[in-house]
Amino acid sequence: MTISELLQKSITPKYCWKYFLKNELEDILLGEDIQNHLAQCEAVCLFCATLGQQADELIRRAQVKDISEGFTADTLASNFIEEFCDKAEKEIISHFPGKYFTWRFSPGYGDMPLSVQGKFLSKLNAEKRIGVHVHESGLLIPLKSVTAVIGISEKPLPVKKKGCAICQLAESCTYRKKGEHCN
Amino acid sequence: MNAELTETLKQKFLLLDGGMGTMLQNSGLAAGGVPEMLNFTEPEKIIAIHRAYVQAGAQVIYTNTFGANRLKMASTHHSVRQIIQAAIANAKKAEPEYIALDIGPIGQLLEPSGTLKFEEAYSIFQEQIEAGKDADMIIFETMTDLREVRAGVLAAKEHSDKPIFVTMSMEENGRTFTGCEIPAMALTLEGLGVDAIGVNCSLGPEELVPIVKQLCEWTTLPVIVKPNAGLPDPLTNAYDFDAEKFAKCSEIFAEMGAVIFGGCCGTTPEHIQALSKMLSGRKPVQRKITIPAAVCSANKTVILNQPRIIGERINPTGKKRFKQALMEKDRNYILQQAIQQIEAGADILDVNVGLPEIDETEMMKDTVQSLQSITDTPLQLDSTKPEALEAGLRVYNGKPIVNSVNGEEESLNLILPLVKKYGAAVVGLTLDKNGIPKTAEGRVNIAERILEKALSFGIRREDVYIDCLTLTASAEQEGVMQTLNALHEVKTKLGLKTVLGVSNISFGLPNRELVNRNFLAMALSFGLDLPIINPNVESMTAAVRTYKLLANIDRNAVEFISHYGGEPKENISPEKQEISLSAAISSGLKTEAGNLTKLLLQTKEPMQIVNQELIPALDEAGVKFEQGKIFLPQLISSASAAQSAFEEIKNYLCEHNTEAVNKGMIILATVKGDIHDIGKNIVKILLENYGYQVIDLGKDVAFEEVVNATEKYHAPLVGLSALMTTTLPSMEKTIQLLRKNCPWCKTVVGGAVLTADYARQIGADFYAKDAKETVDIAKRIFNN
């Protein structure tokens, strides 16, 4: 079995979400970047997705067996969680026909602090519903987990690019140093 | 109370209360605060909720203390003791038959997924249990991690004599979020001496049907069912089962034999009243079940209904390389032995880390925890020291095997209480103070004595496995059949499972593999359940697979064909290859790199190979990486191939009692608060490939631990890694402490969010943008 097959077989991705009016989330939507991002939205969905602890175990095991297998497993798992978030996002927005949405914005992007993760998860009751915890350092556990905000608007939204400005790797990015972009 | 309750549960149902959160919301108490604080701020409302449940027929009231542990209560400025005592006082006012001290999950994950230590979890629970001593029973609920439950149950057992109930939250696949499955939960918790087990929350009664059915088949304990009122609506989060439907759907659990009922999220006093009505005309169903002989980890149960292979390779006896790994605390090497055996077909792994030069107790604990962080294969803890066995048993997540006791009174009295306390199975060796009886009869007699003693300690018959002991055929040829005859008697007359170390049979003979394989086949025919073998020897695992085929255990030869039915495996022998070691490393060919190194070692000195082959090949890969001609995956592949070459060199040096390659000592750690460690692990492999001795402290490493290790080894270089901005202050703090305590050492830092500027700011000597650059820095520091 390839690492990819093994990963797909052993993980049980899950997500949960909840609808809020923007003013219900004053202690979560912190920072100028998220405020700009949601400027034309009245409401948002918070959501959280995870590949679960089995993915972490598989990556740990692969690393011990062979570091290049570990690296592959880690990279694949990161890719899986992103794909899973795309799928979850589609399902979530299907509950709001006729509305317009922003792209997913996560704590840690731009100046939205990681310190909101605890409150974010408790708003969703994510610990109980999908087993996602937050470490005191703001890290989500299981490691392959994502929290994100989707803005909802009654009116069409201008298309915004996910630029380098809000990327947390902006300073150390090797693409940027060469004057290139990652997407 | 325990005995009284157990008797009651044979005759009568026990009714628990329903949801607390739902009722708080219904009473207009806003969500978002700390619910446990309501014990002080709104006692009347809490008492009213308890009372409503008592009036509805609930006999057991859960205190409003789900999250009342010191981590979650830290922000309240109230002690755990104050909160729990207030909650019990409120429950008392409602005058229920029983008050249950309610304990939910801690809210932080235990190692290895999280960073909370087992002992810390134990201490958190202990505080709650001691504060709640006025309750009539202790309930752990909504649990998803068996490790955490075990810490709680041990704390309860050791600090209270109240009945202990445990309910876990299962997903529709019959597992918790952490992967814990029903049979493992049941085997482990019944083994630990819990009084009732079951499920709560996460699902409604309909989804719980197959889960409760399975639980009823895996435990003799009273079964608890406390479902949600159906499933929540995704938009409103409202639950959709009214009281009648809830009770109606719960009927089937009574028919299955569950005896303790209640409700979780979305349930109200009406739901409990409806349950009470549903149960009123019924009598508990007496379940007649036998739990099979089985061992487990949290995520995997191995039933001993057919021969199961115990892998013997985690053992230093006669293995120089393994001894070296133990002395150097080289965890990775030990874990690799585990993975290799599992992939070769081991069902259970024997773990023996006894070596006079090391602290076996500490090593046993560490090894069990490390193994369980990468595999769910159940373990057999193998030691002659009771304290080492207990250290392993305490942290083992599941139901292990203890190897071993023998027929001597002292051994039985020392080890069997541990087996009972931690709910393990045990291997009994048929020998006593007079040695190993010559005859089968003598060995069976000892087996009987071991069994009787085990039963007298309350250990189940199914959990006693007998080892009739293999003698070497070269020295005691007449003894071979005595072993097999004894095994057969133990199996058929005593009805016990049998275990046997096989390889000893051929000691002193030529063609050992042939002798071992045939003896194994004979023993299997005589009824051997648990052969202890080296599963990496293909002919041995093949003998077990073939036996299963011929004995009609492997129905339709499914397992056999899946192993041997496909295309013959491609077998490239190193002789045929026309590739050099450096080419194998550049191309990332792991197996070839290992084989070629073996060949080279016949003609070249190990250091020559390192300096003339390994390092130039890695340097070349490094340069190509820097030039952008190859990318990280290729660089890592090369490192991985070089690692397997290096492992051959280490083996060779061990066998020839030559000093290990050591170009300098480097400490590595992922800083406190951070648990992303893949980057650090890549750096480690690359440094090791260059011949540096790396002490890997792991992830989430405390500041002092880095300092202590640096002092202990007087390491000239310390590498620190961090992935997140929030853990950079930890890095800075570690560097400050190193400056103060270890002024001789240099620091190199790396990680996704670091930059050269930032590295300077926090006082690091060097910034390495990748693994390759770390090697360059090490070369400069060590002048090599």
Side-chain angles (χ1 to χ4, degrees):
Chain A
M1 214 182 297
T2 65
I3 283 280
S4 172
E5 287 164 344
L6 200 62
L7 199 57
Q8 273 167 319
K9 203 186 111 207
S10 53
I11 56 174
T12 44
K14 288 183 185 340
Y15 74 94
C16 63
W17 63 280
K18 205 173 168 188
Y19 171 89
F20 294 94
L21 292 173
K22 225 163 68 177
N23 60 18
E24 292 176 281
L25 299 174
E26 276 163 7
D27 52 351
I28 289 181
L29 305 176
L30 300 177
E32 276 178 36
D33 293 320
I34 182 70
Q35 289 300 334
N36 291 339
H37 188 71
L38 299 174
Q40 296 173 56
C41 301
E42 305 77 37
V44 301
C45 280
L46 298 189
F47 100 102
C48 177
T50 181
L51 296 187
Q53 289 187 27
Q54 285 80 356
D56 291 359
E57 186 186 317
L58 198 134
I59 295 166
R60 279 198 298 271
R61 178 167 164 171
Q63 281 188 62
V64 169
K65 191 182 158 200
D66 175 354
I67 192 69
S68 74
E69 212 171 295
F71 176 75
T72 312
D74 190 82
T75 312
L76 279 170
S78 298
N79 204 37
F80 281 170
I81 186 68
E82 281 306 317
E83 277 178 14
F84 181 69
C85 285
D86 292 344
K87 198 176 128 212
E89 183 180 331
K90 278 203 187 101
E91 284 177 19
I92 293 167
I93 64 179
S94 73
H95 287 272
F96 304 93
K99 301 280 169 68
Y100 300 88
F101 308 92
T102 66
W103 48 264
R104 303 193 293 268
F105 196 105
S106 292
Y109 284 8
D111 62 354
M112 184 174 182
L114 282 174
S115 56
V116 304
Q117 296 285 39
K119 280 180 184 153
F120 198 118
L121 293 184
S122 48
K123 281 277 180 206
L124 288 172
N125 202 8
E127 182 185 324
K128 208 165 160 181
R129 288 169 69 191
I130 59 169
V132 175
H133 295 67
V134 61
H135 186 263
E136 59 197 26
S137 60
L139 188 79
L140 298 178
I141 309 176
L143 288 177
K144 300 299 173 191
S145 303
V146 167
T147 51
V149 184
I150 303 169
I152 305 176
S153 168
E154 300 289 337
K155 288 168 281 189
L157 293 165
V159 181
K160 279 193 208 164
K161 246 194 123 187
K162 298 184 201 181
C164 300
I166 59 101
C167 177
Q168 54 179 336
L169 297 180
E171 267 192 77
S172 59
C173 176
T174 38
Y175 291 106
R176 266 167 65 87
K177 281 174 196 163
K178 292 183 210 157
E180 295 168 8
H181 282 280
C182 66
N183 60 4
Chain B
M1 160 91 198
N2 293 28
E4 177 207 324
L5 188 71
T6 314
E7 269 317 297
T8 309
L9 289 172
K10 281 187 188 148
Q11 308 298 328
K12 289 199 288 190
F13 293 106
L14 186 68
L15 196 54
L16 311 170
D17 62 9
M20 172 57 82
T22 321
M23 293 298 287
L24 291 174
Q25 274 171 23
N26 293 351
S27 331
L29 296 170
V34 178
E36 289 77 12
M37 283 307 291
L38 298 171
N39 291 312
F40 298 112
T41 55
E42 299 279 358
E44 289 312 318
K45 284 189 176 157
I46 297 291
I47 296 165
I49 293 170
H50 288 330
R51 201 169 275 142
Y53 279 121
V54 172
Q55 281 163 1
Q59 297 159 279
V60 180
I61 291 298
Y62 283 31
T63 53
N64 178 31
T65 55
F66 183 83
N69 64 60
R70 64 173 173 248
L71 299 187
K72 284 188 178 167
M73 294 302 108
S75 63
T76 67
H77 309 297
H78 282 274
S79 72
V80 168
R81 170 171 292 272
Q82 288 169 328
I83 292 169
I84 288 183
Q85 286 180 347
I88 291 178
N90 289 339
K92 265 193 184 148
K93 292 205 176 102
E95 298 177 358
E97 224 170 294
Y98 303 108
I99 294 173
L101 171 66
D102 184 29
I103 302 180
I106 293 171
Q108 283 288 324
L109 286 173
L110 269 72
E111 291 179 324
S113 294
T115 56
L116 191 67
K117 300 229 176 294
F118 182 84
E119 294 77 14
E120 175 70 9
Y122 177 96
S123 147
I124 289 168
F125 287 128
Q126 180 188 337
E127 187 180 18
Q128 289 170 270
I129 286 153
E130 285 174 341
K133 62 180 177 7
D134 293 333
D136 303 304
M137 58 181 77
I138 299 163
I139 295 202
F140 295 96
E141 66 163 338
T142 326
M143 291 289 175
T144 56
D145 183 359
L146 192 63
R147 254 186 205 96
E148 186 176 348
V149 177
R150 284 189 76 262
V153 169
L154 282 171
K157 282 269 164 193
E158 290 169 358
H159 299 279
S160 161
D161 53 6
K162 300 286 161 61
I164 303 166
F165 288 13
V166 177
T167 55
M168 296 185 77
S169 292
M170 296 286 163
E171 301 301 296
E172 279 187 88
N173 62 4
R175 290 176 181 264
T176 67
F177 292 139
T178 65
C180 176
E181 55 170 14
I182 287 280
M185 169 199 177
L187 285 168
T188 307
L189 296 179
E190 185 156 357
L192 283 178
V194 162
D195 297 278
I197 59 175
V199 289
N200 79 296
C201 207
S202 71
L203 298 171
E206 282 177 336
E207 297 79 23
L208 279 174
V209 170
I211 293 166
V212 174
K213 180 165 179 283
Q214 194 188 20
L215 182 59
C216 288
E217 288 160 2
W218 275 97
T219 184
T220 64
L221 297 174
V223 167
I224 310 165
V225 189
K226 207 173 191 281
N228 289 342
L231 294 174
D233 180 278
L235 266 182
T236 62
N237 283 321
Y239 289 88
D240 59 349
F241 275 33
D242 64 19
E244 294 315 312
K245 190 170 177 193
F246 183 75
K248 181 80 192 143
C249 286
S250 297
E251 261 184 309
I252 188 166
F253 301 131
E255 286 159 15
M256 288 173 182
V259 287
I260 306 175
F261 287 78
C264 204
C265 303
T267 61
T268 63
E270 288 80 59
H271 291 80
I272 299 304
Q273 194 166 17
L275 276 180
S276 172
K277 205 170 126 199
M278 183 275 287
L279 293 171
S280 63
R282 296 177 170 272
K283 278 226 146 238
V285 173
Q286 304 298 323
R287 284 179 291 135
K288 290 188 188 66
I289 46 159
T290 326
I291 314 298
V295 293
C296 69
S297 65
N299 299 7
K300 186 177 190 178
T301 303
V302 174
I303 306 174
L304 307 190
N305 55 358
Q306 55 179 284
R308 300 291 189 186
I309 294 171
I310 301 182
E312 67 182 8
R313 299 296 292 168
I314 302 181
N315 191 323
T317 314
K319 299 189 198 90
K320 287 179 183 161
R321 177 70 184 93
F322 199 99
K323 280 183 188 160
Q324 185 197 21
L326 282 179
M327 310 262 275
E328 290 174 358
K329 293 196 174 174
D330 181 355
R331 220 177 266 147
N332 257 25
Y333 180 81
I334 301 173
L335 298 185
Q336 280 162 0
Q337 302 299 306
I339 293 172
Q340 203 181 4
Q341 292 182 88
I342 293 162
E343 291 185 347
D347 300 297
I348 297 166
L349 297 177
D350 187 84
V351 181
N352 183 320
V353 290
L355 203 61
E357 297 91 335
I358 63 162
D359 179 352
E360 185 185 345
T361 304
E362 192 49 41
M363 185 55 86
M364 178 64 97
K365 179 185 159 195
D366 184 74
T367 307
V368 167
Q369 288 185 317
S370 311
L371 282 168
Q372 291 205 301
S373 76
I374 57 135
T375 176
D376 53 15
T377 299
L379 304 180
Q380 167 167 287
L381 313 182
D382 182 358
S383 174
T384 51
K385 291 186 179 162
E387 58 277 14
L389 286 173
E390 180 158 24
L393 282 166
R394 208 164 169 80
V395 296
Y396 182 85
N397 192 23
K399 177 189 178 86
I401 306 172
V402 166
N403 187 13
S404 58
V405 295
N406 61 51
E408 283 185 56
E409 277 298 305
E410 196 197 344
S411 160
L412 293 167
N413 287 326
L414 270 175
I415 308 289
L416 291 179
L418 293 176
V419 172
K420 171 64 187 164
K421 177 177 177 185
Y422 294 100
V426 64
V427 171
L429 308 181
T430 54
L431 62 85
D432 60 16
K433 59 182 185 307
N434 302 317
I436 304 172
K438 289 259 180 244
T439 63
E441 195 190 358
R443 292 186 213 174
V444 176
N445 285 341
I446 296 178
E448 267 184 293
R449 235 164 49 218
I450 294 171
L451 172 63
E452 264 170 46
K453 194 77 180 188
L455 292 173
S456 79
F457 277 105
I459 296 166
R460 289 191 325 153
R461 193 183 186 91
E462 292 81 4
D463 291 334
V464 179
Y465 313 154
I466 297 296
D467 185 339
C468 292
L469 300 169
T470 302
L471 304 174
T472 60
S474 59
E476 295 175 79
Q477 201 172 355
E478 70 288 352
V480 175
M481 288 312 294
Q482 296 296 338
T483 300
L484 294 179
N485 289 332
L487 189 157
H488 191 252
E489 287 275 306
V490 166
K491 173 96 175 191
T492 51
K493 297 261 168 67
L494 301 184
L496 299 183
K497 298 293 175 194
T498 58
V499 51
L500 200 60
V502 172
S503 324
N504 198 28
I505 193 74
S506 60
F507 194 77
L509 288 172
N511 206 342
R512 291 192 64 177
E513 191 179 327
L514 183 67
V515 180
N516 290 347
R517 189 205 320 160
N518 280 286
F519 179 63
L520 172 61
M522 286 168 81
L524 289 166
S525 308
F526 273 73
L528 176 60
D529 300 292
L530 294 165
I532 304 182
I533 60 173
N534 176 359
N536 305 333
V537 177
E538 164 58 24
S539 66
M540 296 297 275
T541 24
V544 177
R545 289 191 190 115
T546 314
Y547 172 79
K548 287 191 198 175
L549 167 78
L550 299 175
N552 197 26
I553 293 164
D554 179 12
R555 288 297 178 85
N556 301 321
V558 173
E559 192 188 331
F560 192 85
I561 292 170
S562 85
H563 275 96
Y564 304 109
E567 294 291 305
K569 277 182 192 160
E570 207 178 334
N571 206 350
I572 313 163
S573 65
E575 288 82 4
K576 286 182 192 160
Q577 291 171 26
E578 308 258 328
I579 181 175
S580 69
L581 177 57
S582 48
I585 290 171
S586 305
S587 316
L589 298 170
K590 197 175 170 176
T591 316
E592 288 75 3
N595 289 339
L596 286 163
T597 308
K598 259 194 234 169
L599 280 181
L600 278 176
L601 280 164
Q602 293 171 4
T603 54
K604 276 188 160 184
E605 287 298 310
M607 276 320 286
Q608 268 183 315
I609 302 175
V610 173
N611 290 328
Q612 294 172 8
E613 303 272 346
L614 272 176
I615 291 179
L618 285 167
D619 279 344
E620 193 193 319
V623 170
K624 281 188 189 160
F625 174 70
E626 274 182 342
Q627 294 170 341
K629 289 184 182 158
I630 64 169
F631 296 91
L632 190 58
Q634 285 115 316
L635 181 69
I636 296 172
S637 288
S638 288
S640 171
Q643 188 189 10
S644 81
F646 218 93
E647 185 53 40
E648 290 303 334
I649 289 169
K650 277 191 191 167
N651 265 329
Y652 180 91
L653 293 174
C654 272
E655 290 308 318
H656 293 77
N657 293 321
T658 315
E659 236 178 82
V661 180
N662 185 359
K663 295 195 168 180
M665 177 74 82
I666 302 171
I667 309 270
L668 284 188
T670 298
V671 297
K672 187 162 174 48
D674 212 321
I675 58 175
H676 290 95
D677 62 352
I678 190 157
K680 179 216 63 186
N681 293 341
I682 293 170
V683 171
K684 175 188 166 189
I685 303 273
L686 209 57
L687 286 171
E688 283 179 342
N689 286 340
Y690 274 87
Y692 297 106
Q693 189 105 33
V694 178
I695 305 291
D696 178 9
L697 301 177
K699 57 195 178 186
D700 186 39
V701 184
F703 315 125
E704 341 41 283
E705 210 182 313
V706 179
V707 172
N708 290 344
T710 311
E711 277 177 339
K712 183 177 164 194
Y713 297 100
H714 202 82
L717 183 60
V718 176
L720 299 173
S721 131
L723 185 102
M724 313 217 309
T725 42
T726 48
T727 52
L728 289 175
S730 278
M731 189 176 257
E732 187 172 12
K733 181 88 188 289
T734 310
I735 293 172
Q736 281 168 0
L737 281 176
L738 281 171
R739 285 263 173 277
K740 199 171 132 203
N741 296 291
C742 314
W744 66 84
C745 92
K746 299 280 182 202
T747 50
V748 52
V749 298
V753 292
L754 275 156
T755 58
D757 281 347
Y758 197 83
R760 251 194 311 277
Q761 256 178 55
I762 61 173
D765 296 300
F766 300 97
Y767 162 70
K769 69 177 181 350
D770 51 41
K772 159 80 174 63
E773 202 168 293
T774 316
V775 170
D776 295 340
I777 291 163
K779 283 181 180 170
R780 267 155 63 196
I781 299 278
F782 294 100
N783 288 320
N784 47 30

